[in-house]
Amino acid sequence: MKYKRLGLIVAFCFTSWVVLAFVIFNENSAKKNDVEIRKSSLVKYIQELELQIIQQEETYKILSDKLKKLAPETKGDTTILVLEEPSGLQQRTPSSTIKQDVLQGAEIILPVIVFSCNRPDIRRSLDGLLKYRPDAKKFPIIVSQDCAHGATAEVIRSYTDASQVTYIQQPDQSEPIVPPGETKFKGYFKIARHYLFGLKKVFRTFNHSAVIIVEDDLDVAPDFFSYFASTYHLLKSDPTLWCVSAWNDNGKARLVDMQQGNQLLYRSDFFPGLGWMITKELWDELEPKWPKSYWDDWMRRPEQRKDRACIRPEISRTRTFGKIGVSNGLFFDKHLKYIKLNEMPVDFSSKNLSYLVQSTYDTDYIRNVYSLPVASAPDVRANTKLPFDGPVRIPYYTKDTFKSAAKLLGLMDDFKSGVPRTGYHGIVSFFLNGRRIYLAPHSSWKGYDLTWS
Ligand SMILES: *[C@@H]1O[C@H](CO)[C@@H](O)[C@H](O)[C@H]1NC(C)=O
Ligand SMILES: *[C@@H]1O[C@H](CO)[C@@H](O)[C@H](O)[C@H]1NC(C)=O
Protein backbone atom coordinates (compact mmCIF):
# COMPACT_ATOMS: atom_id res chain seq x y z
CA MET A 1 0.00 0.00 0.00
CA LYS A 2 2.92 2.29 0.78
CA TYR A 3 4.19 1.91 -2.77
CA LYS A 4 0.78 2.53 -4.23
CA ARG A 5 0.62 5.84 -2.41
CA LEU A 6 4.09 6.77 -3.48
CA GLY A 7 3.08 5.98 -7.04
CA LEU A 8 0.07 8.26 -6.73
CA ILE A 9 2.21 11.09 -5.39
CA VAL A 10 4.69 10.68 -8.22
CA ALA A 11 1.87 10.65 -10.75
CA PHE A 12 0.29 13.75 -9.17
CA CYS A 13 3.56 15.71 -9.21
CA PHE A 14 4.16 14.73 -12.76
CA THR A 15 0.68 15.71 -13.91
CA SER A 16 0.90 19.08 -12.13
CA TRP A 17 4.24 19.74 -13.74
CA VAL A 18 2.81 18.92 -17.15
CA VAL A 19 -0.20 21.21 -16.70
CA LEU A 20 1.90 24.07 -15.32
CA ALA A 21 4.51 23.75 -18.02
CA PHE A 22 1.84 23.67 -20.70
CA VAL A 23 0.16 26.85 -19.40
CA ILE A 24 3.48 28.71 -19.22
CA PHE A 25 4.48 27.44 -22.60
CA ASN A 26 1.19 28.49 -24.14
CA GLU A 27 1.41 32.01 -22.77
CA ASN A 28 4.98 32.48 -23.87
CA SER A 29 4.51 31.30 -27.36
CA ALA A 30 1.19 33.13 -27.83
CA LYS A 31 3.28 36.28 -27.80
CA LYS A 32 5.18 35.12 -30.82
CA ASN A 33 2.96 35.35 -33.76
CA ASP A 34 4.78 32.69 -35.71
CA VAL A 35 2.91 29.47 -36.36
CA GLU A 36 5.95 27.62 -37.61
CA ILE A 37 8.02 28.36 -34.54
CA ARG A 38 5.14 27.32 -32.34
CA LYS A 39 4.73 24.09 -34.22
CA SER A 40 8.35 23.09 -34.01
CA SER A 41 8.55 24.06 -30.33
CA LEU A 42 5.47 21.95 -29.74
CA VAL A 43 7.06 18.96 -31.41
CA LYS A 44 10.17 19.40 -29.27
CA TYR A 45 7.97 19.79 -26.26
CA ILE A 46 6.11 16.57 -27.00
CA GLN A 47 9.41 14.78 -27.36
CA GLU A 48 10.42 16.08 -23.94
CA LEU A 49 7.14 14.83 -22.54
CA GLU A 50 7.69 11.43 -24.04
CA LEU A 51 11.09 11.21 -22.43
CA GLN A 52 9.55 12.19 -19.11
CA ILE A 53 6.95 9.46 -19.45
CA ILE A 54 9.61 6.90 -20.27
CA GLN A 55 11.67 7.97 -17.27
CA GLN A 56 8.60 7.71 -15.04
CA GLU A 57 8.07 4.28 -16.46
CA GLU A 58 11.60 3.20 -15.64
CA THR A 59 11.19 4.48 -12.08
CA TYR A 60 7.93 2.62 -11.88
CA LYS A 61 9.63 -0.52 -13.09
CA ILE A 62 12.39 -0.23 -10.50
CA LEU A 63 9.88 0.39 -7.73
CA SER A 64 7.66 -2.48 -8.73
CA ASP A 65 10.66 -4.79 -8.98
CA LYS A 66 11.63 -3.76 -5.48
CA LEU A 67 8.13 -4.45 -4.31
CA LYS A 68 8.18 -7.89 -5.88
CA LYS A 69 11.42 -8.65 -4.05
CA LEU A 70 10.10 -7.37 -0.75
CA ALA A 71 6.87 -9.34 -0.93
CA PRO A 72 7.23 -12.15 -3.41
CA GLU A 73 4.23 -14.07 -2.04
CA THR A 74 1.83 -11.16 -1.88
CA LYS A 75 -1.27 -11.52 -3.98
CA GLY A 76 -4.41 -9.49 -4.64
CA ASP A 77 -4.03 -5.76 -4.19
CA THR A 78 -0.38 -5.54 -5.25
CA THR A 79 -0.69 -7.51 -8.46
CA ILE A 80 -1.89 -4.40 -10.23
CA LEU A 81 1.68 -3.17 -10.02
CA VAL A 82 3.02 -6.03 -12.08
CA LEU A 83 4.18 -4.70 -15.42
CA GLU A 84 2.80 -6.16 -18.57
CA GLU A 85 5.28 -7.63 -21.01
CA PRO A 86 5.68 -5.65 -24.22
CA SER A 87 2.92 -6.77 -26.56
CA GLY A 88 5.55 -7.74 -29.11
CA LEU A 89 6.45 -10.73 -27.01
CA GLN A 90 3.21 -12.49 -27.81
CA GLN A 91 3.80 -15.19 -30.31
CA ARG A 92 1.71 -15.68 -33.36
CA THR A 93 2.63 -19.32 -33.70
CA PRO A 94 3.48 -21.69 -30.87
CA SER A 95 6.93 -22.49 -32.15
CA SER A 96 8.76 -22.63 -35.43
CA THR A 97 12.28 -23.83 -35.48
CA ILE A 98 13.81 -24.57 -38.86
CA LYS A 99 12.72 -28.02 -39.83
CA GLN A 100 15.57 -30.42 -40.41
CA ASP A 101 13.97 -31.95 -43.49
CA VAL A 102 13.87 -28.53 -45.16
CA LEU A 103 17.47 -27.84 -44.25
CA GLN A 104 18.67 -31.15 -45.57
CA GLY A 105 16.11 -31.44 -48.34
CA ALA A 106 16.80 -31.77 -52.02
CA GLU A 107 18.57 -28.87 -53.73
CA ILE A 108 16.01 -26.34 -54.76
CA ILE A 109 16.00 -24.56 -58.10
CA LEU A 110 15.78 -20.84 -57.46
CA PRO A 111 15.07 -18.94 -60.68
CA VAL A 112 15.58 -15.20 -61.03
CA ILE A 113 13.01 -13.31 -63.10
CA VAL A 114 14.16 -9.96 -64.50
CA PHE A 115 11.31 -7.64 -65.48
CA SER A 116 12.24 -5.48 -68.41
CA CYS A 117 10.61 -2.98 -70.75
CA ASN A 118 12.53 -0.40 -72.76
CA ARG A 119 15.91 -0.13 -71.06
CA PRO A 120 18.82 -1.48 -73.14
CA ASP A 121 20.86 -0.88 -69.99
CA ILE A 122 19.41 -4.20 -68.81
CA ARG A 123 22.81 -5.37 -69.98
CA ARG A 124 24.29 -3.97 -66.77
CA SER A 125 21.81 -5.96 -64.64
CA LEU A 126 22.29 -9.18 -66.55
CA ASP A 127 26.07 -8.89 -66.50
CA GLY A 128 25.96 -8.45 -62.73
CA LEU A 129 23.70 -11.45 -62.23
CA LEU A 130 25.84 -13.61 -64.52
CA LYS A 131 29.04 -12.47 -62.87
CA TYR A 132 27.99 -13.55 -59.40
CA ARG A 133 25.78 -16.54 -60.23
CA PRO A 134 27.54 -19.55 -58.72
CA ASP A 135 25.52 -22.19 -60.58
CA ALA A 136 23.51 -21.85 -63.80
CA LYS A 137 21.32 -24.91 -63.09
CA LYS A 138 20.39 -23.87 -59.61
CA PHE A 139 19.71 -20.24 -60.54
CA PRO A 140 18.19 -20.07 -64.03
CA ILE A 141 17.61 -16.51 -65.24
CA ILE A 142 14.34 -15.65 -66.96
CA VAL A 143 14.01 -12.27 -68.66
CA SER A 144 10.43 -11.13 -69.13
CA GLN A 145 10.00 -8.21 -71.48
CA ASP A 146 6.99 -5.92 -71.88
CA CYS A 147 6.74 -2.93 -74.25
CA ALA A 148 8.14 -4.76 -77.34
CA HIS A 149 11.04 -2.31 -77.41
CA GLY A 150 13.36 -3.30 -80.26
CA ALA A 151 16.73 -2.13 -78.94
CA THR A 152 16.11 -3.79 -75.58
CA ALA A 153 14.95 -7.02 -77.24
CA GLU A 154 18.17 -7.08 -79.21
CA VAL A 155 20.26 -6.83 -76.04
CA ILE A 156 18.27 -9.64 -74.40
CA ARG A 157 18.67 -11.85 -77.48
CA SER A 158 22.43 -11.52 -77.27
CA TYR A 159 22.15 -13.40 -73.96
CA THR A 160 19.69 -16.04 -75.15
CA ASP A 161 22.03 -16.85 -78.03
CA ALA A 162 24.64 -17.86 -75.50
CA SER A 163 21.94 -19.81 -73.57
CA GLN A 164 22.55 -17.66 -70.54
CA VAL A 165 18.94 -16.59 -70.05
CA THR A 166 15.42 -17.65 -70.99
CA TYR A 167 13.52 -14.91 -72.79
CA ILE A 168 9.74 -14.48 -72.54
CA GLN A 169 7.61 -11.63 -73.87
CA GLN A 170 4.42 -10.17 -72.51
CA PRO A 171 2.09 -10.54 -75.52
CA ASP A 172 -0.71 -8.11 -74.63
CA GLN A 173 0.40 -4.69 -75.93
CA SER A 174 -3.11 -3.18 -75.82
CA GLU A 175 -3.57 0.00 -73.82
CA PRO A 176 -4.75 -0.88 -70.29
CA ILE A 177 -8.10 0.45 -69.13
CA VAL A 178 -7.33 3.21 -66.69
CA PRO A 179 -9.95 4.96 -64.50
CA PRO A 180 -10.47 8.66 -65.31
CA GLY A 181 -8.04 10.84 -63.40
CA GLU A 182 -5.37 8.12 -63.34
CA THR A 183 -4.22 8.34 -66.96
CA LYS A 184 -0.85 9.72 -65.93
CA PHE A 185 -0.37 6.54 -63.89
CA LYS A 186 -0.95 4.28 -66.87
CA GLY A 187 2.60 2.93 -66.51
CA TYR A 188 1.68 1.38 -63.19
CA PHE A 189 -1.19 -0.53 -64.82
CA LYS A 190 1.19 -1.93 -67.41
CA ILE A 191 3.66 -2.98 -64.74
CA ALA A 192 1.01 -4.83 -62.73
CA ARG A 193 -0.13 -6.63 -65.88
CA HIS A 194 3.44 -7.56 -66.69
CA TYR A 195 4.11 -8.93 -63.20
CA LEU A 196 0.98 -11.07 -63.43
CA PHE A 197 2.15 -12.46 -66.76
CA GLY A 198 5.74 -13.12 -65.65
CA LEU A 199 4.92 -14.72 -62.31
CA LYS A 200 2.25 -16.92 -63.88
CA LYS A 201 4.89 -18.15 -66.32
CA VAL A 202 7.36 -18.88 -63.54
CA PHE A 203 4.92 -20.79 -61.38
CA ARG A 204 2.35 -22.22 -63.81
CA THR A 205 4.34 -22.87 -66.97
CA PHE A 206 7.81 -23.52 -65.58
CA ASN A 207 6.42 -24.97 -62.33
CA HIS A 208 9.10 -23.50 -60.06
CA SER A 209 8.56 -23.58 -56.30
CA ALA A 210 10.01 -20.14 -55.56
CA VAL A 211 11.35 -17.13 -57.44
CA ILE A 212 13.67 -14.16 -56.96
CA ILE A 213 12.19 -11.05 -58.57
CA VAL A 214 14.35 -8.19 -59.87
CA GLU A 215 13.95 -5.37 -62.36
CA ASP A 216 16.12 -4.28 -65.24
CA ASP A 217 17.80 -1.45 -63.33
CA LEU A 218 19.29 -3.32 -60.38
CA ASP A 219 22.91 -4.06 -59.55
CA VAL A 220 23.38 -7.08 -57.30
CA ALA A 221 25.95 -7.68 -54.56
CA PRO A 222 28.52 -10.50 -54.84
CA ASP A 223 26.65 -12.51 -52.16
CA PHE A 224 23.19 -11.92 -53.65
CA PHE A 225 22.71 -15.61 -54.50
CA SER A 226 24.12 -16.88 -51.22
CA TYR A 227 21.70 -14.61 -49.36
CA PHE A 228 18.60 -15.87 -51.15
CA ALA A 229 19.63 -19.52 -51.26
CA SER A 230 20.23 -19.56 -47.50
CA THR A 231 17.15 -17.64 -46.46
CA TYR A 232 14.90 -19.80 -48.65
CA HIS A 233 14.78 -22.38 -45.85
CA LEU A 234 13.60 -19.76 -43.39
CA LEU A 235 10.93 -18.57 -45.79
CA LYS A 236 9.65 -22.12 -46.27
CA SER A 237 9.63 -23.09 -42.61
CA ASP A 238 8.34 -19.97 -40.85
CA PRO A 239 4.69 -19.29 -41.82
CA THR A 240 4.95 -15.77 -40.40
CA LEU A 241 7.39 -14.84 -43.18
CA TRP A 242 6.15 -14.08 -46.67
CA CYS A 243 9.19 -12.70 -48.43
CA VAL A 244 12.91 -12.17 -48.37
CA SER A 245 14.16 -8.87 -49.75
CA ALA A 246 17.65 -7.69 -50.63
CA TRP A 247 16.81 -4.08 -49.83
CA ASN A 248 17.19 -1.83 -46.80
CA ASP A 249 15.12 1.34 -47.27
CA ASN A 250 17.41 3.11 -44.78
CA GLY A 251 20.54 1.53 -46.22
CA LYS A 252 22.55 4.72 -46.75
CA ALA A 253 26.21 4.49 -45.75
CA ARG A 254 25.79 6.82 -42.78
CA LEU A 255 22.85 4.81 -41.39
CA VAL A 256 24.23 1.27 -41.49
CA ASP A 257 27.07 -0.56 -39.79
CA MET A 258 29.56 -0.67 -42.64
CA GLN A 259 32.19 -2.43 -40.50
CA GLN A 260 30.32 -5.35 -39.04
CA GLY A 261 26.80 -5.14 -40.40
CA ASN A 262 27.25 -7.24 -43.52
CA GLN A 263 26.04 -10.43 -41.81
CA LEU A 264 23.18 -8.77 -40.00
CA LEU A 265 19.61 -9.59 -41.08
CA TYR A 266 16.25 -8.44 -39.75
CA ARG A 267 12.57 -9.17 -39.88
CA SER A 268 10.52 -6.33 -41.33
CA ASP A 269 6.78 -5.66 -41.44
CA PHE A 270 7.40 -3.31 -44.35
CA PHE A 271 7.47 -4.97 -47.76
CA PRO A 272 10.64 -3.53 -49.34
CA GLY A 273 10.58 -5.03 -52.87
CA LEU A 274 13.67 -4.22 -54.97
CA GLY A 275 15.05 -7.73 -55.26
CA TRP A 276 12.78 -10.12 -53.40
CA MET A 277 11.86 -13.78 -53.13
CA ILE A 278 8.50 -15.48 -52.69
CA THR A 279 7.28 -19.06 -52.73
CA LYS A 280 4.72 -20.65 -54.99
CA GLU A 281 2.35 -20.99 -52.01
CA LEU A 282 2.28 -17.22 -51.69
CA TRP A 283 1.70 -16.82 -55.41
CA ASP A 284 -1.23 -19.27 -55.20
CA GLU A 285 -2.72 -16.88 -52.69
CA LEU A 286 -1.99 -13.62 -54.54
CA GLU A 287 -2.64 -14.55 -58.16
CA PRO A 288 -6.46 -14.77 -58.01
CA LYS A 289 -6.71 -11.24 -56.60
CA TRP A 290 -3.67 -9.62 -58.27
CA PRO A 291 -4.41 -5.89 -58.70
CA LYS A 292 -4.66 -3.88 -61.92
CA SER A 293 -2.07 -1.34 -60.72
CA TYR A 294 0.14 -0.15 -57.84
CA TRP A 295 0.92 -3.75 -56.95
CA ASP A 296 3.58 -2.89 -54.35
CA ASP A 297 1.36 -0.71 -52.19
CA TRP A 298 -1.36 -3.31 -52.63
CA MET A 299 1.01 -5.93 -51.22
CA ARG A 300 1.56 -3.70 -48.20
CA ARG A 301 -2.11 -3.59 -47.29
CA PRO A 302 -3.20 -5.68 -44.29
CA GLU A 303 -5.52 -7.89 -46.42
CA GLN A 304 -2.51 -9.13 -48.34
CA ARG A 305 0.25 -8.95 -45.74
CA LYS A 306 -1.79 -10.65 -43.02
CA ASP A 307 0.72 -9.67 -40.38
CA ARG A 308 3.56 -11.48 -42.11
CA ALA A 309 7.12 -10.19 -42.28
CA CYS A 310 9.99 -10.14 -44.75
CA ILE A 311 13.65 -10.76 -44.06
CA ARG A 312 15.86 -7.82 -45.04
CA PRO A 313 19.58 -7.12 -44.63
CA GLU A 314 21.37 -4.35 -42.77
CA ILE A 315 23.36 -3.63 -45.94
CA SER A 316 21.44 -3.93 -49.21
CA ARG A 317 22.22 -6.68 -51.71
CA THR A 318 20.73 -4.67 -54.57
CA ARG A 319 21.14 -1.10 -55.75
CA THR A 320 19.10 0.68 -58.37
CA PHE A 321 20.76 2.66 -61.13
CA GLY A 322 17.49 3.48 -62.87
CA LYS A 323 16.90 7.15 -62.48
CA ILE A 324 14.50 7.27 -65.38
CA GLY A 325 11.57 4.99 -64.86
CA VAL A 326 7.89 4.99 -64.08
CA SER A 327 8.38 6.38 -60.59
CA ASN A 328 9.87 9.83 -60.37
CA GLY A 329 13.52 10.75 -60.65
CA LEU A 330 13.31 12.99 -57.61
CA PHE A 331 12.96 9.99 -55.32
CA PHE A 332 16.02 8.52 -56.97
CA ASP A 333 18.07 11.67 -56.46
CA LYS A 334 16.98 12.16 -52.87
CA HIS A 335 17.16 8.59 -51.59
CA LEU A 336 17.68 5.62 -53.86
CA LYS A 337 21.06 6.56 -55.24
CA TYR A 338 22.59 6.74 -51.73
CA ILE A 339 21.68 3.17 -50.79
CA LYS A 340 24.91 1.27 -50.24
CA LEU A 341 25.51 -2.06 -51.97
CA ASN A 342 27.27 -4.68 -49.86
CA GLU A 343 30.86 -5.20 -50.93
CA MET A 344 32.10 -7.61 -48.26
CA PRO A 345 30.52 -10.90 -49.29
CA VAL A 346 29.10 -13.23 -46.66
CA ASP A 347 28.75 -16.99 -47.06
CA PHE A 348 25.27 -17.21 -45.59
CA SER A 349 25.18 -20.99 -45.96
CA SER A 350 27.64 -21.20 -43.05
CA LYS A 351 25.59 -18.91 -40.82
CA ASN A 352 23.09 -19.90 -38.19
CA LEU A 353 19.99 -17.95 -39.17
CA SER A 354 17.69 -19.41 -36.50
CA TYR A 355 17.61 -16.09 -34.69
CA LEU A 356 15.29 -14.85 -37.43
CA VAL A 357 12.58 -17.40 -36.74
CA GLN A 358 9.64 -15.56 -35.25
CA SER A 359 9.45 -17.24 -31.84
CA THR A 360 13.14 -16.62 -31.14
CA TYR A 361 13.30 -13.19 -32.74
CA ASP A 362 10.23 -11.77 -31.04
CA THR A 363 11.56 -12.77 -27.66
CA ASP A 364 15.20 -11.76 -28.08
CA TYR A 365 15.05 -8.76 -30.40
CA ILE A 366 12.09 -6.99 -28.88
CA ARG A 367 13.11 -7.67 -25.30
CA ASN A 368 16.56 -6.31 -26.08
CA VAL A 369 15.18 -3.11 -27.64
CA TYR A 370 12.97 -2.36 -24.63
CA SER A 371 15.75 -3.04 -22.15
CA LEU A 372 17.98 -0.32 -23.63
CA PRO A 373 18.60 3.12 -22.17
CA VAL A 374 16.44 5.85 -23.65
CA ALA A 375 17.69 8.91 -25.51
CA SER A 376 16.11 11.74 -27.46
CA ALA A 377 16.51 12.15 -31.20
CA PRO A 378 18.35 15.51 -30.91
CA ASP A 379 20.83 14.03 -28.41
CA VAL A 380 21.44 11.03 -30.63
CA ARG A 381 22.01 13.28 -33.59
CA ALA A 382 24.38 15.58 -31.71
CA ASN A 383 26.05 12.53 -30.14
CA THR A 384 27.64 14.67 -27.46
CA LYS A 385 25.17 14.56 -24.60
CA LEU A 386 25.07 10.79 -24.25
CA PRO A 387 27.35 9.86 -21.36
CA PHE A 388 27.77 6.23 -22.42
CA ASP A 389 28.52 4.04 -25.41
CA GLY A 390 26.34 1.29 -26.78
CA PRO A 391 22.86 0.97 -28.20
CA VAL A 392 19.98 3.24 -27.26
CA ARG A 393 16.26 3.46 -27.86
CA ILE A 394 14.47 6.60 -29.02
CA PRO A 395 10.82 6.34 -28.07
CA TYR A 396 7.98 7.71 -30.18
CA TYR A 397 4.28 7.91 -29.45
CA THR A 398 2.67 9.71 -32.32
CA LYS A 399 2.97 9.90 -36.08
CA ASP A 400 4.37 13.41 -35.82
CA THR A 401 7.08 12.56 -33.30
CA PHE A 402 8.10 9.61 -35.44
CA LYS A 403 8.32 11.85 -38.47
CA SER A 404 10.24 14.63 -36.79
CA ALA A 405 12.74 12.17 -35.30
CA ALA A 406 13.12 10.41 -38.66
CA LYS A 407 13.69 13.71 -40.47
CA LEU A 408 16.22 14.83 -37.89
CA LEU A 409 18.17 11.59 -38.21
CA GLY A 410 17.95 11.22 -41.98
CA LEU A 411 15.63 8.18 -41.98
CA MET A 412 12.77 7.59 -44.39
CA ASP A 413 9.76 9.15 -42.67
CA ASP A 414 6.83 7.79 -44.66
CA PHE A 415 4.33 5.06 -43.86
CA LYS A 416 2.53 2.55 -46.03
CA SER A 417 -0.59 1.08 -44.48
CA GLY A 418 0.65 2.53 -41.20
CA VAL A 419 4.03 0.75 -41.32
CA PRO A 420 7.23 2.83 -41.32
CA ARG A 421 9.92 1.66 -43.74
CA THR A 422 11.96 -1.24 -42.29
CA GLY A 423 9.70 -1.24 -39.21
CA TYR A 424 9.20 -4.40 -37.18
CA HIS A 425 6.57 -4.07 -34.45
CA GLY A 426 7.00 -0.37 -35.12
CA ILE A 427 10.74 -0.53 -34.38
CA VAL A 428 13.17 1.00 -36.88
CA SER A 429 16.79 -0.06 -36.40
CA PHE A 430 19.71 1.96 -37.73
CA PHE A 431 23.33 2.80 -36.98
CA LEU A 432 24.60 6.33 -36.50
CA ASN A 433 27.93 7.71 -35.25
CA GLY A 434 29.12 4.22 -34.35
CA ARG A 435 26.06 3.39 -32.28
CA ARG A 436 23.08 1.05 -32.78
CA ILE A 437 19.81 2.93 -32.39
CA TYR A 438 16.22 1.81 -32.33
CA LEU A 439 13.42 4.26 -32.98
CA ALA A 440 10.68 2.41 -31.14
CA PRO A 441 7.06 2.89 -30.13
CA HIS A 442 5.84 2.70 -26.56
CA SER A 443 6.24 -0.75 -24.99
CA SER A 444 2.49 -1.27 -24.82
CA TRP A 445 2.26 -0.88 -28.61
CA LYS A 446 -0.71 -2.82 -29.95
CA GLY A 447 -0.31 -2.69 -33.71
CA TYR A 448 -0.02 -0.36 -36.69
CA ASP A 449 -2.39 2.56 -37.11
CA LEU A 450 -3.67 2.58 -40.68
CA THR A 451 -4.33 6.32 -40.49
CA TRP A 452 -0.58 7.03 -40.19
CA SER A 453 0.55 8.01 -43.65
C1 LIG B 1 5.30 -29.22 -60.40
O1 LIG B 1 6.23 -29.42 -59.34
C2 LIG B 1 5.76 -30.20 -58.27
C3 LIG B 1 6.85 -30.27 -57.23
O2 LIG B 1 7.34 -29.00 -56.94
C4 LIG B 1 5.36 -31.58 -58.73
O3 LIG B 1 4.82 -32.31 -57.69
C5 LIG B 1 4.36 -31.47 -59.87
O4 LIG B 1 4.09 -32.73 -60.41
C6 LIG B 1 4.89 -30.54 -60.97
N1 LIG B 1 3.86 -30.33 -61.97
C7 LIG B 1 4.10 -30.38 -63.27
C8 LIG B 1 2.93 -30.14 -64.15
O5 LIG B 1 5.21 -30.61 -63.72
C1 LIG C 1 21.57 -21.50 -33.79
O1 LIG C 1 21.13 -20.42 -33.02
C2 LIG C 1 20.11 -20.72 -32.08
C3 LIG C 1 19.72 -19.46 -31.38
O2 LIG C 1 19.29 -18.48 -32.25
C4 LIG C 1 20.59 -21.75 -31.08
O3 LIG C 1 19.55 -22.09 -30.20
C5 LIG C 1 21.09 -22.99 -31.83
O4 LIG C 1 21.64 -23.88 -30.88
C6 LIG C 1 22.12 -22.60 -32.86
N1 LIG C 1 22.47 -23.78 -33.63
C7 LIG C 1 23.72 -24.14 -33.86
C8 LIG C 1 23.90 -25.35 -34.69
O5 LIG C 1 24.66 -23.51 -33.45
Side-chain angles (χ1 to χ4, degrees):
M1 287 312 280
K2 218 166 78 189
Y3 278 89
K4 213 169 143 190
R5 238 167 63 200
L6 181 63
L8 281 175
I9 292 165
V10 170
F12 176 74
C13 294
F14 179 59
T15 315
S16 320
W17 176 82
V18 167
V19 171
L20 196 67
F22 189 77
V23 169
I24 294 166
F25 173 84
N26 246 357
E27 275 178 10
N28 278 345
S29 54
K31 286 172 198 153
K32 297 174 194 157
N33 209 5
D34 189 334
V35 177
E36 268 314 300
I37 291 173
R38 284 192 67 180
K39 196 180 160 196
S40 78
S41 327
L42 254 179
V43 167
K44 264 193 214 130
Y45 181 68
I46 290 170
Q47 280 168 344
E48 281 289 312
L49 270 183
E50 285 176 354
L51 265 182
Q52 294 282 347
I53 293 168
I54 291 285
Q55 277 152 9
Q56 296 287 331
E57 225 179 43
E58 318 251 290
T59 315
Y60 172 70
K61 204 168 174 175
I62 291 164
L63 284 179
S64 72
D65 282 351
K66 263 193 188 152
L67 176 63
K68 268 189 245 164
K69 272 191 202 126
L70 279 175
E73 310 295 337
T74 322
K75 297 235 165 72
D77 212 6
T78 54
T79 53
I80 53 156
L81 278 174
V82 174
L83 273 185
E84 276 180 36
E85 293 278 283
S87 63
L89 295 183
Q90 293 154 11
Q91 291 172 13
R92 276 173 284 183
T93 50
S95 116
S96 43
T97 46
I98 301 180
K99 288 186 209 103
Q100 282 307 307
D101 57 327
V102 177
L103 271 177
Q104 290 158 3
E107 277 288 284
I108 187 236
I109 305 288
L110 213 44
V112 179
I113 185 165
V114 185
F115 284 102
S116 127
C117 166
N118 57 358
R119 192 195 300 275
D121 241 7
I122 186 177
R123 184 181 291 285
R124 175 167 161 180
S125 293
L126 294 179
D127 286 347
L129 286 166
L130 291 167
K131 180 174 171 193
Y132 297 124
R133 179 169 69 165
D135 181 340
K137 283 215 173 63
K138 190 171 156 63
F139 303 104
I141 297 172
I142 301 159
V143 179
S144 182
Q145 195 200 2
D146 198 359
C147 315
H149 186 252
T152 305
E154 222 168 274
V155 171
I156 299 167
R157 277 202 199 92
S158 71
Y159 291 86
T160 55
D161 292 347
S163 308
Q164 288 166 307
V165 308
T166 303
Y167 181 21
I168 56 176
Q169 283 162 290
Q170 201 281 109
D172 181 2
Q173 291 303 313
S174 66
E175 286 300 303
I177 297 156
V178 176
E182 291 181 54
T183 41
K184 66 175 172 181
F185 302 121
K186 193 164 33 176
Y188 291 102
F189 287 76
K190 290 185 178 171
I191 290 171
R193 179 172 68 184
H194 188 192
Y195 268 67
L196 179 62
F197 163 81
L199 293 174
K200 267 170 109 166
K201 277 274 178 197
V202 164
F203 290 117
R204 307 295 171 221
T205 309
F206 303 139
N207 197 29
H208 286 300
S209 39
V211 69
I212 302 167
I213 299 158
V214 297
E215 296 192 9
D216 59 355
D217 60 352
L218 287 185
D219 290 327
V220 299
D223 54 0
F224 176 88
F225 290 98
S226 170
Y227 172 62
F228 282 110
S230 302
T231 49
Y232 171 76
H233 307 300
L234 274 174
L235 183 60
K236 282 293 277 189
S237 61
D238 182 344
T240 64
L241 286 175
W242 71 324
C243 103
V244 175
S245 167
W247 183 256
N248 174 3
D249 273 295
N250 286 316
K252 295 173 184 163
R254 60 180 285 271
L255 291 173
V256 294
D257 183 353
M258 294 297 290
Q259 254 74 52
Q260 278 152 38
N262 61 338
Q263 305 190 10
L264 192 52
L265 308 180
Y266 294 86
R267 295 173 68 97
S268 169
D269 294 323
F270 191 93
F271 170 74
L274 287 154
W276 48 292
M277 172 169 68
I278 59 166
T279 64
K280 183 182 203 157
E281 288 72 36
L282 183 69
W283 182 248
D284 290 342
E285 184 188 315
L286 297 181
E287 187 189 310
K289 54 175 182 174
W290 190 254
K292 294 256 179 281
S293 66
Y294 323 116
W295 66 266
D296 49 352
D297 283 344
W298 173 86
M299 292 268 293
R300 291 170 180 138
R301 290 216 287 265
E303 311 89 88
Q304 277 67 251
R305 187 168 76 82
K306 295 185 176 154
D307 234 5
R308 291 170 291 191
C310 296
I311 299 293
R312 61 106 181 156
E314 165 91 352
I315 304 178
S316 290
R317 263 61 183 186
T318 52
R319 174 180 60 199
T320 170
F321 58 83
K323 177 173 173 157
I324 298 148
V326 172
S327 48
N328 68 41
L330 196 71
F331 192 61
F332 179 85
D333 277 335
K334 270 188 81 177
H335 295 289
L336 300 180
K337 77 172 179 189
Y338 296 108
I339 301 295
K340 200 73 193 152
L341 186 68
N342 182 53
E343 284 161 4
M344 292 190 292
V346 173
D347 174 12
F348 283 103
S349 69
S350 70
K351 302 291 171 213
N352 181 356
L353 301 178
S354 306
Y355 72 95
L356 293 160
V357 173
Q358 190 207 28
S359 49
T360 310
Y361 196 82
D362 285 10
T363 311
D364 297 350
Y365 182 76
I366 294 171
R367 196 190 296 278
N368 172 47
V369 168
Y370 286 97
S371 72
L372 294 174
V374 163
S376 73
D379 284 356
V380 164
R381 184 188 147 111
N383 200 35
T384 46
K385 286 196 204 145
L386 300 179
F388 52 86
D389 294 328
V392 294
R393 169 169 53 104
I394 303 174
Y396 70 87
Y397 285 71
T398 62
K399 185 182 88 173
D400 288 339
T401 51
F402 176 89
K403 277 184 177 274
S404 77
K407 277 205 183 83
L408 192 67
L409 298 161
L411 300 162
M412 299 292 285
D413 67 348
D414 58 339
F415 300 87
K416 303 277 187 181
S417 293
V419 186
R421 286 180 192 265
T422 76
Y424 188 67
H425 287 234
I427 303 164
V428 170
S429 162
F430 60 102
F431 196 80
L432 191 65
N433 302 323
R435 190 195 296 270
R436 173 65 51 194
I437 299 147
Y438 302 93
L439 184 53
H442 185 259
S443 59
S444 64
W445 183 83
K446 289 285 185 287
Y448 294 104
D449 184 337
L450 287 174
T451 65
W452 289 23
S453 59

